[in-house]
Amino acid sequence: MPSRDDKSVGLVLVTYNSAEDLPPFLESLPTAVEPLTLDVVGVDNCSADDSADIVERFGARTIRRDSNIGLGPAFNEGAATLDTEWLLLANPDTHLSAGSIAALVETARTDEKIGMIGPRIARLDGSPYPTGRRFPSIGIGIAHALLGPFWKTNPATRAYFGSAVSEVSDVDWVSGCCMLLRREAFDAVGGFDPRYFLYFEETKMALDMHRAGWKVVLDPRVEIRHREGGSMRSAPFRKVRNHHRNALRFYIDYNRGRPWILLTPLVAAGLAARGAISALRTALVHRI
């Protein structure tokens, strides 16, 4: 079997009602990857808009799902059709700076144990978006869950989001809005865990990478911009449900075999209460 082309990046572009975000994202894509070559496959999760058509007009082959299977499973399906050394997960609500993806590949090539790498992320207004985070301890996780919605700058939330780094650094996990994966590492851990429909899928992937002996790295010299919300703007309550459900799922996966697993009922109760408050706030915002 011939070796994969290490100068080619395979983008799995997962879309769900993403038509508003796709044009600027696709416009930024070619210069982000140059001088490397790019292979794009779109996986559309049964969008009600023309997301799949936009991706096809860009020149990418597209898999049109007749149901929404979630981000991780859709990425796995698209990745199975690619034969590139590097796999790129980038949400349509991101804007990739020129040379950004090529720079991530260059950094990843310096260490064959780097399995996942992400850039520094800023919101559209230039303010920092948290990435390069640490897996939360039980204390920080509970305090962040309770205080975060009401006190954004509380110490637990600051610790959960992590501190900014100024050089290439090993981290626990990077944001899934833009991450580059070494294909060998992706295959070694079996791809994204299909139990995670949306949210925490990148965190579980990073956990699997660490447990399999791969490095997860943040390169702050590379910056991309991110518009928060993306495709979930049309499904705010699904966002709340999936976020809290997968927070509990990750807690169990992370603490399996550790004493903290005994606190699962307490964590579940806390997340249920937080989810109810978040759903109420969402209802008030949307006047439902």
Side-chain angles (χ1 to χ4, degrees):
M1 180 177 177
S3 61
R4 292 190 171 103
D5 180 5
D6 68 354
K7 294 182 173 60
S8 183
V9 175
L11 167 65
V12 181
L13 182 55
V14 180
T15 54
Y16 176 70
N17 296 334
S18 307
E20 180 181 347
D21 294 315
L22 278 167
F25 170 80
L26 292 171
E27 183 180 352
S28 71
L29 185 57
T31 58
V33 176
E34 291 175 352
L36 305 177
T37 57
L38 179 68
D39 191 5
V40 181
V41 58
V43 183
D44 185 73
N45 270 330
C46 199
S47 293
D49 60 18
D50 60 344
S51 295
D53 295 333
I54 294 173
V55 175
E56 285 187 346
R57 287 197 294 269
F58 179 74
R61 61 191 184 280
T62 303
I63 301 169
R64 295 176 183 249
R65 300 285 313 177
D66 57 8
S67 63
N68 187 349
I69 61 173
L71 176 59
F75 189 94
N76 291 344
E77 184 173 357
T81 71
L82 294 168
D83 191 30
T84 57
E85 180 65 23
W86 308 98
L87 294 172
L88 175 64
L89 171 60
N91 290 356
D93 58 1
T94 57
H95 182 91
L96 306 177
S97 57
S100 56
I101 304 306
L104 292 180
V105 171
E106 183 177 358
T107 300
R109 283 176 177 162
T110 65
D111 185 344
E112 63 181 12
K113 295 307 293 181
I114 294 177
M116 174 191 294
I117 184 170
R120 178 164 50 92
I121 302 171
R123 297 179 177 89
L124 295 185
D125 63 4
S127 62
Y129 180 84
T131 190
R133 309 180 196 180
R134 301 202 63 81
F135 298 132
S137 66
I138 180 65
I140 288 176
I142 291 175
H144 164 67
L146 294 176
L147 299 175
F150 311 102
W151 180 14
K152 300 294 186 183
T153 59
N154 73 82
T157 296
R158 293 201 306 271
Y160 172 70
F161 285 155
S163 57
V165 298
S166 58
E167 59 186 21
V168 177
S169 302
D170 291 351
V171 294
D172 282 352
W173 60 286
V174 295
S175 172
C177 74
C178 181
M179 61 165 57
L180 183 76
L181 301 158
R182 188 184 298 271
R183 182 59 185 256
E184 181 185 357
F186 178 82
D187 289 344
V189 302
F192 283 99
D193 189 328
R195 297 175 303 145
Y196 289 75
F197 179 88
L198 186 67
Y199 296 110
F200 287 88
E201 70 283 334
E202 76 270 53
T203 320
K204 178 56 163 53
M205 167 66 80
L207 179 64
D208 292 343
M209 289 267 184
H210 286 295
R211 287 176 171 172
W214 298 94
K215 292 182 179 181
V216 178
V217 168
L218 175 71
D219 187 346
R221 302 169 301 181
V222 180
E223 181 184 280
I224 63 109
R225 295 293 175 100
H226 174 49
R227 179 186 184 188
E228 291 183 87
S231 60
M232 293 308 294
R233 286 190 296 268
S234 62
F237 290 100
R238 182 184 295 177
K239 172 181 178 179
V240 171
R241 182 178 69 250
N242 285 327
H243 181 85
H244 290 84
R245 176 189 296 167
N246 282 346
L248 177 61
R249 180 169 283 135
F250 180 77
Y251 177 85
I252 295 170
D253 287 340
Y254 180 51
N255 290 291
R256 198 178 303 278
R258 306 169 69 197
W260 298 116
I261 197 70
L262 297 175
L263 295 178
T264 297
L266 176 62
V267 173
L271 286 169
R274 188 180 189 274
I277 294 172
S278 296
L280 177 60
R281 294 176 64 198
T282 299
L284 292 174
V285 168
H286 292 269
R287 292 179 173 84
I288 296 176

